[in-house]
């Protein structure tokens, strides 16, 4: 089985242009492909995880990755899947985020001579002259076709700025530039990027007469993809300072039963034969599957030591074994106390267990909060400095645990 057939078997491929050409290229290690990462935050999140795994699979099969950091497109922001315009970032923030991305990507992809390379589209996009771009690239795009693109359709009623409307042209120009200067012949992205990617392949063909190819990957868990990995604190980040290894482990430990084997195929490097064997396991072993999935993925991101600690902590909480010293913990400070105590709602907000006081109040009233295994029934319940110094353990719902101390 070639790498293309493996990607198909894992359910990774959503759409391709010129399937036979793409199959031959990547099966023979002939793809010099790029995947772009716009620096919208200072950490990658699980929404980027699939792209990194795909890049690694293709590199192991002999293909050459080009990591494209969106230091230029980051000034605009991709409107795909958005209901409103992204907040504009300044140059310092964009550069900082690019630096953070590169450190994380380096854990997955091997850089070096005849290996992967990294480029930043700020190096060419920020130097473009507007009229020159209109003449060289704008003439190759039909506004009618652009308005029919899925990435713009959903924004038309609410309003799409001309600023964002340029994003497709910028992304297409990236592919053209990479083709001309680095021999890039293929681009990959999520299936919400299809219209933008087609723009790039057509631009290359019109400007050079050369063939260029595009493949989109199936977005994980739901068709929109962007919703993946949301928690009370926001996205599930790959940076351990934003999402701890335990929280990362627990996210995968708690995926829906119906999504477990899909996650194995899309994200892990577990063989397809082993996955097929696991699919035939008795239904009573679903939690064993989830443990293996969570351990595999946490090891990939945070290393085996952190994965073992996260697994120990989870077992301590759910089955009484192991220890809980690696449980996510929030420390309350003296200035958060009022008359030597703090109420449960303030604690939950401070710990990031809810987005606000209203959500915390509703959870308590619905019986969804316990402290040290005792259900909280009083929304005004307070905890003293002495109690916090000994630490308390909060349980939200059935699966979220958090320690609070001073």
């Amino acid at each position: 089985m070639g790498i293309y057939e493996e990607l198909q078997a894992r359910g990774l491929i959503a759409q391709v242009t010129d399937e036979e050409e793409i199959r031959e290229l990547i099966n023979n290690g002939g793809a010099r492909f790029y995947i772009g990462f716009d620096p919208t935050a200072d950490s990658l999140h699980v929404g980027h995880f699939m792209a990194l795994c795909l890049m690694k699979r293709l590199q192991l099969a002999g293909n050459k990755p080009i990591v494209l950091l969106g230091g230029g497109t980051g000034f605009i922001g991709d409107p795909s899947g958005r209901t409103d315009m992204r907040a504009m970032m300044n140059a310092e923030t964009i550069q900082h985020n690019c630096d953070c991305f590169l450190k994380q990507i380096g854990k997955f992809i091997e850089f070096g001579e005849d290996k992967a390379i990294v480029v930043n589209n700020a190096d060419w996009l920020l130097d473009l002259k507007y009229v020159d771009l209109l003449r060289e690239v704008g003439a190759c795009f039909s506004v009618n076709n652009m308005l029919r693109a899925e990435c713009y359709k959903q924004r038309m009623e609410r309003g799409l700025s001309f600023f964002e409307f340029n994003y497709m042209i910028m992304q297409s120009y990236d592919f053209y530039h990479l083709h001309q200067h680095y021999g890039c012949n293929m681009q990959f992205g999520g299936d919400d990027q299809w219209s933008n990617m087609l723009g790039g392949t057509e631009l290359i063909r019109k400007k050079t007469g050369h063939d260029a190819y595009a493949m989109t990957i199936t977005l994980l868990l739901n068709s929109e993809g962007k919703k993946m990995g949301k928690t009370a604190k926001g996205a599930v980040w790959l940076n351990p300072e934003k999402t701890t290894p335990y929280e990362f482990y627990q996210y995968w430990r708690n995926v829906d039963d119906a999504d477990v084997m899909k996650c194995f195929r899309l994200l892990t490097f577990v063989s397809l034969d082993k996955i097929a064997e696991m699919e035939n396991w008795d239904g009573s072993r679903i939690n064993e599957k989830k443990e293996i999935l969570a351990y595999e993925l946490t090891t990939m991101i945070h290393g085996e030591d952190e994965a073992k600690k996260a697994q120990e902590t989870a077992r301590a909480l759910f089955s009484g074994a192991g220890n809980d010293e690696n449980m996510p913990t929030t420390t309350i400070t003296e200035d958060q106390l009022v008359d030597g105590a703090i109420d449960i709602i303030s604690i939950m907000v401070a710990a990031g267990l809810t987005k606000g006081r209203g959500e915390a109040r509703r959870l308590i009233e619905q019986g969804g909060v316990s402290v040290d295994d005792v259900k909280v029934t009083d929304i005004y319940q307070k905890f003293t400095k002495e109690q916090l110094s000994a630490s308390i353990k909060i349980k939200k719902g059935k699966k979220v645990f958090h320690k609070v101390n001073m």
Side-chain angles (χ1 to χ4, degrees):
M1 179 186 293
I3 182 63
Y4 185 85
E5 288 74 22
E6 180 176 348
L7 296 180
Q8 283 184 312
R10 289 181 177 273
L12 274 161
I13 300 175
Q15 301 178 84
V16 298
T17 61
D18 313 288
E19 182 174 31
E20 288 309 309
E21 290 88 340
I22 289 176
R23 182 195 306 272
E24 183 177 353
L25 268 175
I26 69 172
N27 278 349
N28 292 305
R32 194 165 183 83
F33 67 97
Y34 94 88
I35 297 179
F37 299 87
D38 270 355
T40 53
D42 59 1
S43 172
L44 298 168
H45 55 71
V46 293
H48 298 108
F49 195 11
M50 279 186 66
L52 293 171
C53 290
L54 175 66
M55 191 173 275
K56 184 172 184 177
R57 292 184 205 280
L58 291 168
Q59 184 175 46
L60 291 172
N63 298 283
K64 302 297 188 296
I66 299 173
V67 174
L68 175 64
L69 299 175
T73 42
F75 279 94
I76 298 177
D78 185 2
S80 301
R82 301 281 302 183
T83 57
D84 53 10
M85 193 169 81
R86 295 181 186 274
M88 293 188 193
M89 297 182 291
N90 60 36
E92 291 76 17
T93 299
I94 290 172
Q95 185 57 55
H96 171 73
N97 292 351
C98 284
D99 293 341
C100 293
F101 276 24
L102 186 55
K103 288 179 183 177
Q104 293 177 323
I105 293 170
K107 295 178 181 179
F108 281 81
I109 308 304
E110 187 176 357
F111 293 99
E113 188 175 349
D114 202 34
K115 307 250 182 230
I117 64 170
V118 59
V119 294
N120 188 325
N121 61 19
D123 293 341
W124 56 87
L125 291 182
L126 299 187
D127 290 334
L128 288 173
K129 294 181 179 179
Y130 185 61
V131 174
D132 290 344
L133 178 67
L134 290 179
R135 287 174 61 88
E136 184 178 6
V137 178
C140 298
F141 284 81
S142 161
V143 171
N144 291 344
N145 289 339
M146 292 174 73
L147 291 175
R148 284 193 288 268
E150 286 300 322
C151 60
Y152 292 143
K153 268 185 183 178
Q154 58 187 312
R155 289 289 302 281
M156 293 306 293
E157 288 186 10
R158 297 190 57 155
L160 175 71
S161 71
F162 181 71
F163 181 65
E164 295 172 285
F165 189 59
N166 283 271
Y167 192 90
M168 181 187 290
I169 294 176
M170 296 293 97
Q171 182 171 333
S172 299
Y173 188 85
D174 281 343
F175 196 8
Y176 173 61
H177 180 92
L178 293 173
H179 177 77
Q180 293 295 87
H181 294 270
Y182 298 95
C184 182
N185 55 19
M186 197 177 300
Q187 65 172 318
F188 291 84
D191 57 14
D192 59 342
Q193 290 282 307
W194 187 238
S195 298
N196 291 344
M197 294 166 71
L198 287 179
T201 60
E202 288 305 307
L203 178 61
I204 290 172
R205 287 170 181 170
K206 288 177 179 177
K207 294 292 292 182
T208 69
H210 300 162
D211 286 328
Y213 309 101
M215 179 191 295
T216 66
I217 56 178
T218 306
L219 291 167
L220 184 63
L221 302 186
N222 59 65
S223 61
E224 295 176 2
K226 302 295 185 183
K227 293 180 180 178
M228 187 179 78
K230 296 294 182 183
T231 69
K233 291 184 178 181
V236 176
W237 304 99
L238 306 192
N239 182 341
E241 294 180 3
K242 295 170 78 74
T243 298
T244 67
Y246 169 77
E247 291 169 326
F248 188 85
Y249 178 95
Q250 281 300 103
Y251 171 72
W252 300 108
R253 176 65 179 79
N254 294 328
V255 297
D256 290 343
D257 292 0
D259 289 320
V260 173
M261 298 316 299
K262 182 177 182 180
C263 290
F264 266 108
R265 287 191 295 272
L266 295 177
L267 291 174
T268 75
F269 287 79
V270 174
S271 71
L272 288 169
D273 287 342
K274 177 64 176 176
I275 290 172
E277 177 190 326
M278 292 173 69
E279 286 183 314
N280 291 321
W281 286 2
D282 183 83
S284 62
R285 299 178 71 181
I286 184 63
N287 285 326
E288 184 180 350
K289 291 179 184 178
K290 290 184 178 184
E291 268 207 344
I292 295 171
L293 175 69
Y295 189 87
E296 287 282 330
L297 297 182
T298 306
T299 299
M300 286 173 65
I301 297 296
H302 299 296
E304 192 167 8
D305 286 347
E306 291 296 337
K308 286 179 180 177
K309 290 177 185 177
Q311 187 176 70
E312 263 194 15
T313 300
R315 286 175 174 173
L317 296 173
F318 293 103
S319 62
N323 64 74
D324 64 1
E325 66 182 34
N326 297 300
M327 188 190 304
T329 302
T330 295
T331 299
I332 299 298
T333 59
E334 286 277 358
D335 60 2
Q336 291 174 281
L337 302 180
V338 177
D339 297 327
I342 183 171
D343 64 273
I344 183 61
I345 289 179
S346 297
I347 289 175
M348 293 189 68
V349 174
L353 291 169
T354 60
K355 293 180 180 178
R357 298 183 66 85
E359 182 184 347
R361 182 184 186 120
R362 286 191 296 274
L363 269 172
I364 294 167
E365 291 174 339
Q366 293 164 6
V369 178
S370 298
V371 175
D372 293 336
D373 296 325
V374 178
K375 187 167 291 186
V376 177
T377 57
D378 180 5
I379 61 172
Y380 300 107
Q381 182 172 345
K382 294 184 178 182
F383 295 85
T384 66
K385 178 178 179 179
E386 289 72 24
Q387 288 175 297
L388 295 175
S389 294
S391 84
I392 60 173
K393 189 185 299 180
I394 299 176
K395 181 181 178 184
K396 186 184 83 168
K398 295 180 179 180
K399 300 177 179 178
V400 177
F401 293 83
H402 201 97
K403 271 198 299 191
V404 178
N405 59 27
M406 281 197 74

